[in-house]
């Protein structure tokens, strides 16, 4: 992913302060810290659409937004832990971020290797593991590396590509990554990955979506965000621009984050999985709206 920022105060998605007040919902996040309802440009009123979760935290100022965007995925931790209990460890968490999955794996006794290219996120992961205790800390290994061109060591019983991280891998690099994963799966091991699957005809009809939400923060800062999602079905690309407004009693800070990702062709992904020496044993779709569903795939190495 290509994440860029701008601290220019002159523009916020070309939206004025009055427009921001119109776009941003007045409702606060619920007690669990989940995102409030957000409305798409077509008025569908979708609660959440996958694709907004892959902003890498590059500095401490991005942490709150990064964690809020991952909030809708929080319930998948129980499912992944259940898989780990079935397959056993060790576990490989690819695109681990700040340890949303890796630390719970270790806390439940699984040795886990956490791979992410963002060193700031890996430092947060390590700090979290240490706060829990020496046993959890010892079970976590952090690996700073990009998923494209990744070379692994050891064998793993469960490999996880969660939070739609597969969309951050260029299509040309995806077959090699899947082959590397397949070569490192132990007997009875599994790869679990999830991704948003879009109907391309629907994206052509509605290539832009805009969301507004408030980020739950507990440090005296009010952070509101307008996120604009732009799809390029012909190029199989997606761009999301976040215009963030952080307000305190005495100051207002504006910044821009842009994430560029790849759209997933489900048939091509299945082909790449087969060519890598694996087969799909379970496909679990969850319908988001008329255009998008979120898909979880469970894959195992061929005999």
């Amino acid at each position: 992913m290509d994440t860029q920022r701008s601290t220019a105060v002159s523009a916020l998605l070309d939206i004025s302060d009055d427009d921001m007040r119109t776009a941003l919902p007045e409702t606060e996040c619920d007690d669990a810290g989940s995102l409030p309802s957000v409305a798409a440009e077509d008025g569908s009123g979708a609660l959440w659409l996958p694709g907004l979760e892959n902003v890498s935290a590059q500095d401490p100022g991005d942490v709150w937004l990064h964690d809020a965007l991952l909030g809708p995925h929080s319930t998948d931790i129980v499912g992944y832990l259940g898989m780990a209990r079935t397959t056993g460890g060790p576990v490989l968490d690819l695109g681990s971020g700040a340890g949303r999955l890796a630390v719970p794996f270790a806390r439940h006794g699984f040795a886990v290797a956490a791979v992410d290219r963002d060193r700031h996120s890996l430092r947060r992961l390590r700090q979290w593991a240490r706060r829990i205790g020496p046993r959890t800390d010892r079970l976590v290994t952090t690996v700073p590396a990009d998923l494209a061109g990744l070379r692994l060591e050891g064998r793993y019983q469960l490999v996880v590509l969660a939070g739609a991280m597969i969309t951050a891998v260029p299509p040309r690099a995806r077959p090699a990554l899947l082959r590397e994963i397949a070569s490192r799966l132990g007997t009875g091991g599994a790869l679990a990955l999830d991704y948003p699957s879009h109907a391309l005809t629907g994206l052509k009809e509605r290539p832009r979506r805009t969301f507004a939400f408030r980020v739950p923060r507990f440090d005296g800062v009010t952070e509101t965000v307008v996120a604009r999602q732009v799809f390029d079905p012909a190029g199989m690309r997606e761009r999301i621009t976040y215009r963030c407004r952080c307000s305190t009693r005495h100051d207002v800070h504006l910044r821009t984050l842009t994430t560029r990702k790849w759209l997933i062709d489900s048939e091509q992904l299945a082909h790449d999985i087969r060519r890598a020496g694996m087969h799909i044993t379970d496909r679990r779709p969850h319908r988001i709206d008329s255009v998008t569903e979120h898909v979880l795939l469970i894959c195992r190495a061929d005999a």
Side-chain angles (χ1 to χ4, degrees), residues 4-5 7 61 90 92 104 115 121 152 173 179 209 224 233 235 255 257 286 288 298 302:
Q4 300 173 330
R5 71 198 66 246
T7 56
L92 177 64
V115 178
S121 294
L152 300 170
R179 287 195 300 270
R209 297 168 176 170
T224 49
R255 74 185 190 279
L257 304 173
H286 173 69
I288 301 297
I298 310 299
D302 295 338

Side-chain angles (χ1 to χ4, degrees), residues 150-214:
L150 182 66
R151 293 294 178 267
L152 300 170
E153 296 181 359
R155 300 187 74 80
Y156 302 91
Q157 291 303 112
L158 177 63
V159 179
V160 176
L161 265 168
M165 282 305 303
I166 191 68
T167 64
V169 181
R172 66 182 181 279
R174 200 177 298 147
L177 174 63
L178 292 170
R179 287 195 300 270
E180 185 71 9
I181 291 171
S183 70
R184 296 296 177 176
L185 282 178
T187 303
L191 162 66
L193 66 90
D194 64 76
Y195 66 96
S197 176
H198 306 286
L200 296 183
T201 54
L203 292 186
K204 291 176 182 177
E205 296 172 358
R206 182 162 54 92
R208 292 178 175 83
R209 297 168 176 170
T210 299
F211 309 84
F213 56 90
R214 182 170 289 116

Side-chain angles (χ1 to χ4, degrees), residues 75-96 98-115 125 128-129 132 135-141 156-163 190-193 296:
T75 57
D76 68 2
I77 296 174
V78 174
Y80 283 120
L81 283 171
M83 291 182 202
R85 293 190 179 100
T86 300
T87 63
V91 176
L92 177 64
D93 185 4
L94 297 176
S96 64
R100 183 180 67 89
L101 293 175
V103 174
F105 278 133
R107 192 170 188 175
H108 284 78
F110 296 99
V112 55
V115 178
L125 187 159
W128 183 16
I132 292 175
R135 177 175 175 272
T136 297
D137 187 35
R138 285 194 299 269
L139 287 171
V140 175
T141 301
Y156 302 91
Q157 291 303 112
L158 177 63
V159 179
V160 176
L161 265 168
L191 162 66
L193 66 90
L296 171 67

Side-chain angles (χ1 to χ4, degrees), residues 86-294:
T86 300
T87 63
V91 176
L92 177 64
D93 185 4
L94 297 176
S96 64
R100 183 180 67 89
L101 293 175
V103 174
F105 278 133
R107 192 170 188 175
H108 284 78
F110 296 99
V112 55
V115 178
D116 201 285
R117 75 176 190 178
D118 182 47
R119 293 176 183 271
H120 174 73
S121 294
L122 292 179
R123 284 195 296 270
R124 290 183 61 210
L125 187 159
R126 179 59 66 191
Q127 291 166 359
W128 183 16
R130 287 172 179 164
R131 285 197 303 271
I132 292 175
R135 177 175 175 272
T136 297
D137 187 35
R138 285 194 299 269
L139 287 171
V140 175
T141 301
T142 56
V143 182
D146 198 314
L147 297 185
L150 182 66
R151 293 294 178 267
L152 300 170
E153 296 181 359
R155 300 187 74 80
Y156 302 91
Q157 291 303 112
L158 177 63
V159 179
V160 176
L161 265 168
M165 282 305 303
I166 191 68
T167 64
V169 181
R172 66 182 181 279
R174 200 177 298 147
L177 174 63
L178 292 170
R179 287 195 300 270
E180 185 71 9
I181 291 171
S183 70
R184 296 296 177 176
L185 282 178
T187 303
L191 162 66
L193 66 90
D194 64 76
Y195 66 96
S197 176
H198 306 286
L200 296 183
T201 54
L203 292 186
K204 291 176 182 177
E205 296 172 358
R206 182 162 54 92
R208 292 178 175 83
R209 297 168 176 170
T210 299
F211 309 84
F213 56 90
R214 182 170 289 116
V215 176
R217 295 186 64 150
F218 310 98
D219 60 347
V221 176
T222 299
E223 182 169 3
T224 49
V225 178
V226 173
R228 179 167 292 175
Q229 196 172 17
V230 179
F231 296 98
D232 173 17
M236 294 298 287
R237 294 173 180 266
E238 173 186 352
R239 185 182 76 249
I240 309 170
T241 303
Y242 303 85
R243 309 293 188 181
C244 309
R245 178 177 185 143
C246 299
S247 305
T248 66
R249 291 181 58 186
H250 308 291
D251 192 21
V252 175
H253 174 69
L254 309 182
R255 74 185 190 279
T256 300
L257 304 173
T258 300
T259 295
R260 294 176 176 85
K261 299 188 296 177
W262 299 93
L263 301 179
I264 300 295
D265 181 316
S266 292
E267 292 185 4
Q268 182 62 49
L269 177 60
H271 174 75
D272 291 341
I273 289 170
R274 290 193 299 270
R275 290 288 299 273
M278 294 182 288
H279 56 279
I280 298 171
T281 59
D282 197 2
R283 184 182 188 274
R284 305 176 191 176
H286 173 69
R287 175 59 59 181
I288 301 297
D289 64 7
S290 60
V291 176
T292 304
E293 65 179 7
H294 197 81

